[in-house]
Amino acid sequence: MLAAPPAPPRSVAAGTAYWARLLPLLAVLACVTRLPSFARPLWNPDEGYLAVQARMLAHGGRLYETVVDRKPPLVPWLYEGAFAVFGSGSLTPVRVLAILAHLCTALLLASLARRRWGDTAGRTAGVLYLLVSVGLNPEDAQAATFEVFILPSTAAAMWCADRRRWGAAGAAVACAFLAKQTGGAVLVPVVWLLYRHGAPPGGVLRLAAGTAVPVLCAALVTDPAGFVFWTVTGSGAYASFTGSELHVLIRALTNTAILAVASAGLVPPVLRALRVARTGVPDLWLWLGASAAAVTVGFHFFGHYYLQLTPAITLLATAATQVLPRERLTAAVRTTACCCALFLAWGLLAPRTDLGHAQRLAAAVGDRTAPGDRVLVWGMHPETYWLAARTPASRYLTAGLLTNYSGGRNGPQVGEKYAVRGAWPVFRAELAAHAPALVVDDSRGGPYAPDRVPSLRRLLTAGYQEVGEVDGAVLYGRVAGE
């Protein structure tokens, strides 16, 4: 279904004129749809985590050794590079990079659509993508997080595969994986396109090499064993949702519903086209299915995971409008633009509860410590370190890595014994070598509170006393002589 006759060949001059008109339009639209991202210094804890990691790397930290997370290295390196050039006091540079990532994605989708269905389809795909990609909770859609930097690589992988450039397609798949593991899901439609084109041995080898070599290089540049552990083998307990089934289901349904609202102008054309056409675009359906599987992996269903669905949704809707009356295209764009306006208003007016708490807590930390002091924030908001400009006392920037707590899950698999394997001996050694000047208990009654974590409770009892409180977060100063 949804296929249309291939577009006729175009002259180089016509192509140049086409892109000269479309590029400024998409650039302006990319900037306008990301205006809310500049409305606050930080949108979610992932940005805070990346900012703290980048500072640690800049001061001699080593990824997967003294700087750790369950993610590949590409986005931490991107933050580190932006901070090296522009300074680490603002996320504006990485927000600009996020806009460029969205613009590149829109251009690649426009090129894909134009090659398959003509000039109008190219414009449609680029515009629809930028409109629908803001259709999530603003803290998910406007933040410069991992999923944003997956998108241009996944679109590039499909663009290259569509042109039978298998080595480049493999490299793009590798870049998507190195931005976040789930980005590798685009390999599914790429392999299908390779199969559809006859799977020549040379193509198979180029695709395999293009995919494997960048990943191997990233592992060798960091720490190979640490790379494998932190990106592949070390997160088994994190993927379990035992005891939190209802919480997970509600989050999944909520974020699905939010994206469905943003896609209200795109879903009807696809459904109508399904009824009138039977030849198809199986690579796009495979892309959507693989992306949906990627959203599901780990059973967390955070809103920003859903960004990975937007390129495939956009192209399917663009394909659908090619076999329907023109007024369906106009209605799809108009409806999507109206939904985009609603999400932009949400972004500009969204409350700042968590950010306000982190800012007040950071101010208190700054008042009670000196710039060279190490601090331990026991909680799920690593941005406190960045906002306070203080060095973390440990490589584990959240309590989640030490208790398996994540995203409000309060099931039975939270506690010391569910931590990342080997984390607690390292954590104790770090605190013994560099005792934090201040410990902040930001658990605020969560299932990872110190009274449920014996090792942390013993640390506080032995060498710290309560010195203050901020919004329910308790500050502990080191006892003199300890």
Side-chain angles (χ1 to χ4, degrees), residues 44-442:
N44 66 31
D46 279 358
E47 286 186 317
Y49 203 113
L50 285 162
V52 178
Q53 279 189 306
R55 277 184 176 167
M56 294 170 72
L57 290 170
H59 288 87
R62 298 182 304 278
L63 203 55
Y64 307 124
E65 295 181 65
T66 59
V67 180
V68 298
D69 190 16
R70 294 182 172 104
K71 300 293 192 300
L74 191 60
V75 183
W77 285 341
L78 193 66
Y79 268 66
E80 182 188 8
F83 283 3
V85 175
F86 299 103
S88 63
S90 169
L91 294 185
T92 296
V94 291
R95 298 272 172 73
V96 173
L97 291 176
I99 291 175
L100 291 175
H102 282 296
L103 176 58
C104 288
T105 305
L107 288 169
L108 288 164
L109 296 179
S111 181
L112 265 168
R114 182 176 183 245
R115 174 180 167 86
R116 294 187 179 193
W117 306 301
D119 290 352
T120 300
R123 289 189 291 269
T124 300
V127 169
L128 286 179
Y129 166 75
L130 291 172
L131 294 176
V132 80
S133 63
V134 299
L136 293 164
N137 188 314
E139 68 181 29
D140 298 309
Q142 297 293 339
T145 51
F146 299 95
E147 288 74 16
V148 170
F149 298 106
I150 286 176
L151 298 175
S153 296
T154 57
M158 293 296 289
W159 187 94
C160 292
D162 194 55
R163 288 159 173 77
R164 308 187 191 189
R165 299 176 184 176
W166 304 116
V173 171
C175 287
F177 174 85
L178 290 172
K180 189 182 176 185
Q181 297 93 322
T182 53
V186 74
L187 184 62
V188 173
V190 167
V191 168
W192 189 91
L193 285 170
L194 177 65
Y195 169 78
R196 191 186 74 176
H197 291 306
V204 173
L205 290 175
R206 289 194 295 274
L207 177 61
T211 303
V213 169
V215 176
L216 290 173
C217 289
L220 292 172
V221 167
T222 56
D223 170 58
F227 176 90
V228 172
F229 176 79
W230 284 102
T231 63
V232 181
T233 64
S235 301
Y238 181 72
S240 171
F241 65 107
T242 303
S244 300
E245 295 87 350
L246 181 60
H247 179 87
V248 170
L249 177 62
I250 290 173
R251 179 190 289 149
L253 293 175
T254 299
N255 286 319
T256 301
I258 292 173
L259 184 58
V261 170
S263 306
L266 307 186
V267 175
V270 174
L271 295 179
R272 289 189 183 96
L274 280 170
R275 294 198 298 267
V276 301
R278 292 302 173 206
T279 58
V281 280
D283 57 323
L284 300 185
W285 285 108
L286 281 171
W287 191 7
L288 180 62
S291 299
V295 171
T296 305
V297 168
F299 304 106
H300 283 79
F301 297 103
F302 293 123
H304 44 91
Y305 291 9
Y306 286 72
L307 278 172
Q308 198 167 343
L309 300 173
T310 55
I313 290 173
T314 298
L315 283 182
L316 282 169
T318 302
T321 60
Q322 307 310 303
V323 297
L324 295 173
R326 185 172 179 81
E327 59 266 21
R328 299 295 186 188
L329 170 60
T330 304
V333 174
R334 183 170 54 245
T335 303
T336 306
C338 290
C339 292
C340 176
L342 291 176
F343 281 98
L344 291 181
W346 184 7
L348 292 170
L349 302 175
R352 307 183 178 191
T353 305
D354 285 343
L355 176 60
H357 169 76
Q359 289 173 321
R360 290 187 292 273
L361 192 56
V365 169
D367 289 341
R368 293 184 176 276
T369 59
D373 287 340
R374 291 176 180 263
V375 174
L376 173 65
V377 178
W378 185 256
M380 299 301 293
H381 290 276
E383 62 267 29
T384 304
Y385 293 115
W386 180 69
L387 292 168
R390 293 296 183 265
T391 301
S394 170
R395 69 192 67 187
Y396 305 112
L397 302 183
T398 70
L401 295 174
L402 291 158
T403 64
N404 197 43
Y405 179 83
S406 172
R409 291 185 181 181
N410 54 3
Q413 294 189 347
V414 174
E416 280 188 57
K417 67 179 181 178
Y418 299 109
V420 171
R421 188 172 71 251
W424 273 97
V426 173
F427 181 67
R428 294 189 193 99
E430 288 176 325
L431 298 191
H434 303 284
L438 190 73
V439 176
V440 179
D441 170 20
D442 195 29

